[in-house]
Amino acid sequence: MTVHKKKQFLLGEALIQHKMMSREQLEEALKQQQKTKEYLGQILIRMGIVSEPQIFQILSEQLGIRYIKNLKEVTISAELLKRIPAKLASHYQFLPVELINQRLTICVSNPLNFRAFDEIRALVGYEIEVAITDPRGIEEAIKEHYGIGASVLDKLTAKEEQFPSAVPVVNLVETIDAKNEDASVTDLVNQFLMDAYNCGASDIHLEPSQDGFAIRYRIDGILQHAKVPSQIKRFQMNIISRIKIMAGLDIAEKRLPQDGRILVKTKAGELDLRVSVIPSHHGEAVVIRILRPGMLLDLERLGFESKDLAFIRKAIQKPTGIILLTGPTGSGKTTTLYAFLRELNSTERKIITIEDPIEYQITEVLQIQVQPKIGLTFATCLRHALRHDPDVMMIGEIRDQDTAQIASRAALTGHLVFSTLHTRDAAGAITRLVDIGVEPYLVASSVEVVVAQRLIRLLCRGCKRALTEPKKGIYKEFLDIYDGKTFYEPAGCERCRKTGYQGRIAIQEILGVDDEVRELIVRNVSTLEIRENAIKKGMKQLYENGLAKAAQGITSIDEILRVAPPERQIRS
């Protein structure tokens, strides 16, 4: 081996020689080392005397070994990864880098663990050459090259573990980021749940096929494949059974869809996971929605322009009327509704919500979960909730004539009502209410504001670059509107997982229902006429709101065209 034991005691002296610390600091660190028994480098980093890269650079020089700053830049052959099992790499926390003439180069974070190197040499049958990098780099690299849960799958394959026929009792709240030394399906599921959470995913998709079992994460609204070992297909049924148990579902039922909920604990706090299982041709498919405590936002963080924010704040302070949020699934409607409720929530107001499902719990707000199977529908809940003297009501979604009519009459009898509709734009919400059976005069009298909303991805701050070669056609027309502004496009880096985007923000189209619009509604005019009237009075359409954000450099024109392409001639 390249590493020599006698050199492990030279770290402190080397740091002094390089004028990175004083002898007094070394003596203080050595005193702490006597108490904690930690490595000297760990103590010096914690004391803030030197940084982690400085420690590794000195160790590299003193021990005569290679220092790899970024393992992502190292190419490792698939053949080498097959020769070195994932469970071995995970157990000893090393990454095989190259194998030349029966000499295996491994990258580790602790170059002084000679006993481990001896054990690795005995297990793999090669001479060992050591390189060093930081601990986080090792952990990420193992996951990147072997796949999530690869070490667990190796152990499970060796044990040929079968899921027990007797269903074990599961706690209502489980800790999923605690390390488990024993390989199990539980540990495997916990690993990909934590990986999805750490990646910022909003949903996890488990999708069986004839030849494999894919795991995909929805990050910033876009699905991305998670790297998983090929042998995960063997444990497909075990994984799904484990998720069903955690969600309190029937593991014996494989023919019908099922929905459930999982509460789990992490170091970051408690997570609420919503589980949906549906049967498919190659087995059951699962989607897990991750609800995070920090996803409850204030109005200022939703992306409203200052003028629109002032308008919305004034609208939600009105004592009566309906305020509607429209857009497809996943456009952030519920998040905006919760922001409205947080803005209004006080001891002076009684707020009741009717939801399916209840996504976040808000203190001092009475929240009701609909249960259609027992007849507890939106309309039924709404009728009874009105008897509890609410000031503000939030209805998760207006789906039918009964709910729409009750909501409209509630708005006319002294209540402020928030709800959502699935329409393409703000004007479409008006005609949608009429289409499902609400009289035009009732719509005109009750609706105050309609907000159409979409979510757009934000450009990664670490890699966005100025747009130098504008495309033709509508792309050029966008640029002409903001002549002289610098627009940006995505590049892709490690920080944003090579996507060029990180995070999302909302764009809105806000339709205020004034006397002129009310007259149009009573006349039962088309969506187009209502939209044209609002545009003449200054309503910005979705793509225009998005374009303004692109001009600010926070998103790209491509993203606006993807999410909200213009439906009419662009106005310059």
Side-chain angles (χ1 to χ4, degrees):
M1 287 176 59
T2 303
V3 180
H4 301 289
K5 295 185 180 182
K6 65 180 182 180
K7 293 188 177 182
Q8 65 176 302
F9 303 105
L10 298 179
L11 177 61
E13 293 298 329
L15 289 170
I16 292 174
Q17 290 174 14
H18 284 75
K19 298 182 180 180
M20 293 182 180
M21 71 175 183
S22 65
R23 190 161 296 279
E24 290 75 18
Q25 289 174 317
L26 174 59
E27 290 174 357
E28 177 61 29
L30 290 172
K31 287 180 182 177
Q32 290 196 29
Q33 187 184 40
Q34 291 178 351
K35 297 176 183 178
T36 64
K37 307 302 181 185
E38 295 175 283
Y39 286 108
L40 180 61
Q42 293 175 314
I43 296 170
L44 293 173
I45 291 169
R46 190 176 67 248
M47 292 174 66
I49 296 172
V50 292
S51 66
E52 201 170 61
Q54 287 176 317
I55 290 287
F56 284 119
Q57 189 63 54
I58 292 297
L59 283 170
S60 173
E61 292 176 8
Q62 291 297 305
L63 299 174
I65 60 179
R66 179 180 169 192
Y67 173 36
I68 302 176
K69 292 183 180 179
N70 187 359
L71 276 173
K72 294 183 182 294
E73 297 176 356
V74 178
T75 302
I76 302 172
S77 71
E79 182 61 32
L80 177 57
L81 293 173
K82 288 179 182 178
R83 293 192 182 193
I84 309 299
K87 61 181 179 181
L88 185 65
S90 180
H91 179 75
Y92 288 103
Q93 281 296 287
F94 75 87
L95 185 73
V97 175
E98 59 185 10
L99 178 61
I100 301 175
N101 297 327
Q102 298 299 301
R103 181 176 288 271
L104 175 67
T105 300
I106 63 172
C107 194
V108 300
S109 60
N110 178 12
L112 305 177
N113 192 355
F114 303 103
R115 179 177 177 181
F117 303 151
D118 290 338
E119 291 176 4
I120 294 170
R121 183 172 59 233
L123 289 168
V124 301
Y126 303 122
E127 285 300 315
I128 300 298
E129 188 87 16
V130 175
I132 56 172
T133 194
D134 67 276
R136 289 179 300 278
I138 291 288
E139 191 171 333
E140 285 298 313
I142 291 173
K143 183 178 74 175
E144 175 69 25
H145 289 284
Y146 286 104
I148 303 162
S151 60
V152 178
L153 284 172
D154 274 355
K155 295 174 184 176
L156 286 176
T157 302
K159 291 163 58 178
E160 294 189 349
E161 173 180 301
Q162 297 297 317
F163 208 83
S165 56
V167 178
V169 177
V170 179
N171 296 328
L172 291 176
V173 181
E174 297 190 11
T175 301
I176 64 170
D177 55 1
K179 289 188 177 180
N180 184 5
E181 295 300 325
D182 296 326
S184 67
V185 173
T186 298
D187 194 33
L188 179 62
V189 171
N190 290 350
Q191 281 193 33
F192 73 69
L193 288 178
M194 278 309 302
D195 184 63
Y197 172 76
N198 292 332
C199 289
S202 61
D203 302 88
I204 307 170
H205 293 245
L206 288 81
E207 302 163 329
S209 63
Q210 183 175 356
D211 302 320
F213 184 65
I215 297 179
R216 295 197 289 172
Y217 302 154
R218 189 175 293 280
I219 302 174
D220 295 334
I222 304 296
L223 281 172
Q224 301 177 25
H225 274 283
K227 185 177 177 62
V228 293
S230 58
Q231 66 264 41
I232 197 170
K233 175 69 175 176
R234 292 179 55 185
F235 301 96
Q236 170 184 321
M237 293 180 63
N238 297 7
I239 291 169
I240 292 173
S241 293
R242 171 59 188 164
I243 293 169
K244 282 182 170 182
I245 289 172
M246 294 175 73
L249 304 178
D250 183 359
I251 64 171
E253 179 56 75
K254 296 179 172 59
R255 301 167 300 169
L256 297 173
Q258 297 187 72
D259 295 321
R261 179 184 182 188
I262 305 171
L263 292 176
V264 295
K265 285 183 178 179
T266 71
K267 293 175 183 176
E270 195 171 277
L271 296 181
D272 192 351
L273 309 180
R274 302 301 169 89
V275 178
S276 176
V277 183
I278 58 173
S280 74
H281 184 59
H282 298 291
E284 291 175 294
V286 180
V287 172
I288 303 172
R289 167 147 296 187
I290 303 174
L291 302 178
R292 303 161 187 264
M295 286 179 71
L296 276 175
L297 302 179
D298 298 320
L299 277 175
E300 290 84 355
R301 297 175 59 193
L302 292 179
F304 285 105
E305 294 183 5
S306 56
K307 182 181 176 181
D308 292 337
L309 180 60
F311 178 82
I312 287 294
R313 276 215 160 99
K314 185 177 179 181
I316 66 175
Q317 292 294 337
K318 291 183 178 182
T320 62
I322 296 177
I323 297 178
L324 291 171
L325 267 291
T326 78
T329 301
S331 59
K333 301 186 299 296
T334 303
T335 300
T336 301
L337 286 181
Y338 274 112
F340 290 171
L341 296 181
R342 291 187 70 181
E343 183 88 0
L344 296 177
N345 194 13
S346 67
T347 54
E348 291 81 22
R349 289 189 181 94
K350 177 156 186 175
I351 301 175
I352 299 178
T353 72
I354 304 168
E355 306 174 62
D356 183 23
I358 295 172
E359 295 195 11
Y360 300 101
Q361 296 182 18
I362 306 178
T363 306
E364 295 186 350
V365 172
L366 181 60
Q367 296 174 270
I368 304 170
Q369 166 75 56
V370 302
Q371 299 183 57
K373 290 181 179 179
I374 61 171
L376 193 62
T377 63
F378 278 108
T380 304
C381 288
L382 188 51
R383 286 193 189 94
H384 290 277
L386 288 171
R387 298 171 189 167
H388 282 249
D389 189 29
D391 298 295
V392 181
M393 297 201 63
M394 192 265 272
I395 307 167
E397 183 183 346
I398 293 178
R399 298 176 179 174
D400 52 61
Q401 179 183 1
D402 207 7
T403 304
Q405 288 183 335
I406 298 170
S408 299
R409 296 187 189 282
L412 294 178
T413 55
H415 303 88
L416 181 63
V417 180
F418 301 141
S419 192
T420 69
L421 276 174
H422 287 286
T423 61
R424 290 171 56 182
D425 59 8
I430 302 297
T431 51
R432 172 64 179 152
L433 287 175
V434 175
D435 288 343
I436 62 176
V438 184
E439 292 294 333
Y441 78 89
L442 200 54
V443 176
S445 303
S446 59
V447 177
E448 292 289 335
V449 178
V450 183
V451 181
Q453 181 170 292
R454 300 290 188 277
L455 293 178
I456 57 169
R457 292 179 294 171
L458 298 174
L459 285 167
C460 174
R461 294 181 180 181
C463 67
K464 71 176 185 179
R465 62 192 177 199
L467 186 63
T468 55
E469 296 182 6
K471 300 174 184 177
K472 296 180 181 179
I474 195 171
Y475 204 99
K476 185 177 183 301
E477 292 182 60
F478 271 111
L479 297 177
D480 290 342
I481 297 173
Y482 285 89
D483 188 28
K485 285 281 187 181
T486 300
F487 286 81
Y488 294 85
E489 63 181 353
C493 65
E494 297 298 337
R495 178 178 174 180
C496 60
R497 297 169 65 92
K498 301 292 186 181
T499 63
Y501 296 94
Q502 192 172 46
R504 288 193 292 177
I505 198 169
I507 56 174
Q508 298 91 4
E509 175 180 289
I510 301 175
L511 171 63
V513 181
D514 58 15
D515 290 340
E516 192 173 343
V517 174
R518 287 191 175 95
E519 185 179 340
L520 292 174
I521 297 171
V522 172
R523 285 166 44 198
N524 201 14
V525 302
S526 68
T527 298
L528 179 61
E529 289 183 65
I530 296 174
R531 183 194 302 131
E532 289 294 335
N533 178 274
I535 290 172
K536 287 177 183 176
K537 289 184 289 189
M539 181 186 79
K540 279 189 175 181
Q541 296 182 84
L542 282 165
Y543 79 89
E544 292 174 308
N545 188 277
L547 182 58
K549 288 180 169 57
Q552 296 169 22
I554 64 175
T555 190
S556 68
I557 294 178
D558 276 338
E559 180 67 3
I560 303 307
L561 290 173
R562 181 185 72 85
V563 175
E567 297 180 6
R568 62 188 299 278
Q569 184 65 33
I570 293 177
R571 296 180 291 122
S572 57

